[in-house]
Amino acid sequence: MRINVLGVGFDNVLMIEAVARGVDMLSQPGAHYVVTPNPEIVEICRKNPEAMRAVNGADLVLADGIGIIKGARILGTPLKARNPGIEFAAYLMKEMAEKGLSLYLLGAKPGVAEAAGKRLAEKYPGLKIAGTHDGYFQEDGPIIEDIRRSGADCVFVCLGAPKQELWMAKHGEATGARLLCGLGGSLDVFAGVVERAPKFWSDHGLEWFYRLCKDPRRAGRMMKLPLFLVHVQKEKRRK
Ligand code: UDP
């Protein structure tokens, strides 16, 4: 059973369980998809029913961000662990490399997915990079066809929220891949374009603050975090 945080149902799993489920999906017929909502995405879903359906329709919903963990605790239904999408992706690639599976990277600015592919192929020997494409395309058809032709087992869809969730829900099946993962800005990190917060910051639940300091343009988006906590408090009182 999923844990409901303002309408989004989160799988109550440890990282090791999440990765095992991802690996299992890679061997099951049909397309599956994983989403990794943070408070900002939950707030988007509250306003956008289509995004809410796409997120809740995922085969695995991971709590990305300390805000979700805090929210679930305040609501009296704590989650076992925070499972950042980027860490889930790293563990999954390790497993895929051991099995010789292939990965398609979709998203980010032109050149970024390609650079990420080169670095990931070096870091995870055995992992096949089936193809890459930037995230600023106009038509879906040629992208779907390119993924299908590549024969990729898995696709990292990094188009930002809620674009990536909607894209996976709508086109996942047509890509022919067995697993799609919505991973926000992960390709920028894998390519070395953006630095992830050092462990100290993430261990103290301050990754959001580190990102804000590095890129103050995120301030508007960050305002969703206090708003999320206000909505959680309201929901708690309502309950
Ligand atoms: N992006 C994209 N296509 C778009 C809009 C965004 O490929 O139409 C990419 C953007 O370049 C970035 C990622 O999506 O690489 C979103 O990153 P962000 O930092 O917003 O995501 P977060 O990790 O905060 O969810």
Side-chain angles (χ1 to χ4, degrees):
M1 222 191 52
R2 285 180 171 169
I3 290 195
N4 184 336
V5 179
L6 302 182
V8 173
F10 287 89
D11 284 287
N12 193 14
V13 287
L14 296 173
M15 181 61 90
I16 192 168
E17 298 167 318
V19 175
R21 281 177 59 177
V23 170
D24 185 50
M25 287 173 204
L26 280 163
S27 66
Q28 301 293 334
H32 310 85
Y33 68 98
V34 181
V35 295
T36 61
N38 56 18
E40 186 188 356
I41 300 182
V42 173
E43 284 300 317
I44 291 172
C45 288
R46 282 167 52 86
K47 292 224 174 92
N48 180 341
E50 216 190 322
M52 186 66 101
R53 267 195 299 278
V55 166
N56 282 330
D59 297 273
L60 189 57
V61 183
L62 300 178
D64 187 334
I66 192 71
I68 301 294
I69 301 299
K70 282 204 160 79
R73 201 185 303 140
I74 292 168
L75 291 169
T77 47
L79 280 156
K80 281 197 250 183
R82 184 169 79 93
N83 294 311
I86 195 159
E87 287 173 26
F88 171 77
Y91 286 115
L92 192 68
M93 285 188 285
K94 194 165 169 282
E95 297 284 337
M96 288 179 61
E98 279 167 22
K99 294 178 168 40
L101 297 180
S102 63
L103 174 66
Y104 191 103
L105 304 174
L106 175 63
K109 299 214 172 89
V112 174
E114 219 179 316
K118 284 206 183 94
R119 287 178 61 151
L120 294 174
E122 275 168 28
K123 188 162 181 200
Y124 301 98
L127 178 71
K128 296 186 187 110
I129 302 298
T132 62
H133 200 287
D134 68 75
Y136 294 86
F137 49 89
Q138 300 303 319
E139 284 177 55
D140 296 314
I143 306 292
I144 295 165
E145 193 44 40
D146 195 45
I147 298 174
R148 183 172 268 286
R149 239 182 293 136
S150 79
D153 298 294
C154 181
V155 189
F156 286 176
V157 185
C158 303
L159 305 172
K163 201 171 170 184
Q164 61 203 9
E165 289 77 12
L166 295 169
W167 202 91
M168 293 190 293
K170 191 166 176 201
H171 303 300
E173 206 73 49
T175 63
R178 284 189 295 276
L179 182 62
L180 298 98
C181 308
L183 296 168
S186 299
L187 291 183
D188 297 305
V189 177
F190 291 143
V193 174
V194 169
E195 211 186 314
R196 208 185 158 205
K199 203 169 169 308
F200 170 85
W201 296 79
S202 46
D203 282 355
H204 290 80
L206 289 170
E207 189 156 6
W208 61 273
F209 184 64
Y210 181 86
R211 292 182 84 177
L212 178 62
C213 294
K214 283 269 167 185
D215 184 4
R217 283 170 305 176
R218 295 181 80 93
R221 288 175 58 178
M222 294 274 167
M223 286 317 289
K224 294 239 170 80
L225 184 61
L227 190 66
F228 167 82
L229 291 172
V230 167
H231 289 147
V232 166
Q233 291 292 356
K234 261 196 196 153
E235 176 64 15
K236 189 186 168 195
R237 281 199 295 273
R238 201 188 60 81
K239 268 176 148 184

